[in-house]
Amino acid sequence: MILLLMGPPGAGKGTQSKRLEEAYGLVQLSTGDMLRAAVASGSDLGKQAKALMDRGDLVPDELIIDMISARIEQDDCAKGFILDGFPRTVPQAEALAAMLADKGLSLDHAIELAVDDDAMVKRITGRYTCAKCGKGYHDEFEKPAKEGVCDKCGSTEFTRRADDKEDTVRNRLDAYHAQTAPILAYYKDEGVLSDVDGMADIDAVTAQLKGVIGQA
Ligand code: ADP
Ligand code: ADP
Ligand code: ZN
């Protein structure tokens, strides 16, 4: 099964992808996480991406397409995957369709997490992540059961993304509407687009997603 979660920064793509990974035995492919790993490693790709990411601008299509096409060749993707943060432009969507067609595959569902932009600033500026296992949290909306201790792995170290600042978020929201929202029409035409209410609480969004996806 191949799923795509779409929505602006803060919509809940990462949070829900992690839940769907477990529920359906799929692997989450987050281009944002892959790029942050490239920046941390100091690779050529990371060097090219860093300044763009810091500003909240998109990284050029060709770099992203090369990165994801290499990733989906890996063995762990054979059982299916969840795309989180890719495609983000029409050329990326077209490149994805060509990559999948080459393998005799196609997208099962493109699901839009529909949200109010105004609420996204609060979600993004309150977001943090376990430094060890990557589980996501929020200062107000998703606190660990014991303050300062990761629910999943017990780590006490957490990180916040450098680009999760209010002015960068505004730019990322603008980039979403200008460059990414047009691909909703693309997937609607393909007959694979659904939408769920991303303003509902986290468990309710997961339930809606499972309703769309059905049994594995
Ligand atoms: P995205 O990957 O789409 O940018 P995240 O999944 O990282 O978004 O979610 C952004 C922040 O909002 C995180 O801190 C997360 O805990 C929180 N969050 C996610 N979904 C919801 C929701 N439905 N209601 C409230 N907060 C949420
Ligand atoms: P969010 O969780 O807020 O939606 P991501 O982690 O997906 O953000 O992306 C962080 C940054 O990485 C983006 O602002 C952009 O600079 C870059 N990026 C991630 N995915 C893509 C993509 N598919 N195309 C271009 N740039 C991307
Ligand atoms: Zn953890």
Side-chain angles (χ1 to χ4, degrees), residues 58-59 61 65 85-95 179-180 182-183 187:
L58 295 186
V59 173
D61 288 335
I65 292 165
F86 172 88
R88 255 179 160 94
T89 63
V90 172
Q92 290 182 21
E94 289 168 345
Q179 291 163 275
T180 307
I183 70 179
Y187 287 117

Side-chain angles (χ1 to χ4, degrees), residues 7-216:
K13 303 180 296 295
T15 302
Q16 298 297 336
S17 295
K18 290 212 156 48
R19 290 169 162 226
L20 297 177
E21 264 193 318
E22 288 174 20
Y24 292 96
L26 301 170
V27 45
Q28 173 198 16
L29 303 185
S30 159
T31 45
D33 286 349
M34 291 159 73
L35 289 168
R36 281 183 288 280
V39 170
S41 78
S43 68
D44 282 350
L45 170 63
K47 284 180 192 142
Q48 293 177 75
K50 186 176 186 307
L52 294 163
M53 293 173 76
D54 286 344
R55 282 201 299 273
D57 290 336
L58 295 186
V59 173
D61 288 335
E62 55 187 65
L63 297 179
I64 298 288
I65 292 165
D66 286 350
M67 181 179 81
I68 203 91
S69 68
R71 182 67 187 86
I72 65 177
E73 292 300 328
Q74 292 172 10
D75 290 345
D76 61 336
C77 293
K79 279 193 279 175
F81 46 86
I82 306 162
L83 294 164
D84 163 9
F86 172 88
R88 255 179 160 94
T89 63
V90 172
Q92 290 182 21
E94 289 168 345
L96 172 65
M99 271 178 235
L100 295 179
D102 260 2
K103 296 171 165 296
L105 300 171
S106 61
L107 202 61
D108 293 278
H109 296 283
I111 309 175
E112 179 194 5
L113 298 170
V115 291
D116 301 335
D117 267 23
D118 290 343
M120 295 304 102
V121 175
K122 195 167 176 192
R123 282 207 195 162
I124 290 285
T125 53
R127 165 161 72 181
Y128 63 99
T129 306
C130 173
K132 197 169 164 207
C133 75
K135 162 127 186 48
Y137 292 97
H138 190 279
D139 291 325
E140 199 174 319
F141 308 133
E142 199 185 7
K143 299 182 187 174
K146 183 163 186 257
E147 203 189 321
V149 182
C150 177
D151 291 341
K152 205 172 152 190
C153 76
S155 167
T156 53
E157 269 180 60
F158 298 89
T159 56
R160 285 179 195 262
R161 279 169 48 176
D163 61 341
D164 279 352
K165 304 220 160 59
E166 179 157 354
D167 53 343
T168 319
V169 175
R170 301 266 177 212
N171 192 34
R172 283 156 58 200
L173 287 167
D174 289 346
Y176 180 80
H177 291 293
Q179 291 163 275
T180 307
I183 70 179
L184 294 169
Y186 174 93
Y187 287 117
K188 192 168 185 209
D189 287 346
E190 300 276 307
V192 292
L193 186 70
S194 309
D195 63 80
V196 307
D197 174 15
M199 295 307 293
D201 70 40
I202 297 177
D203 288 341
V205 176
T206 307
Q208 290 180 66
L209 288 168
K210 288 181 175 170
V212 170
I213 300 162
Q215 293 302 313

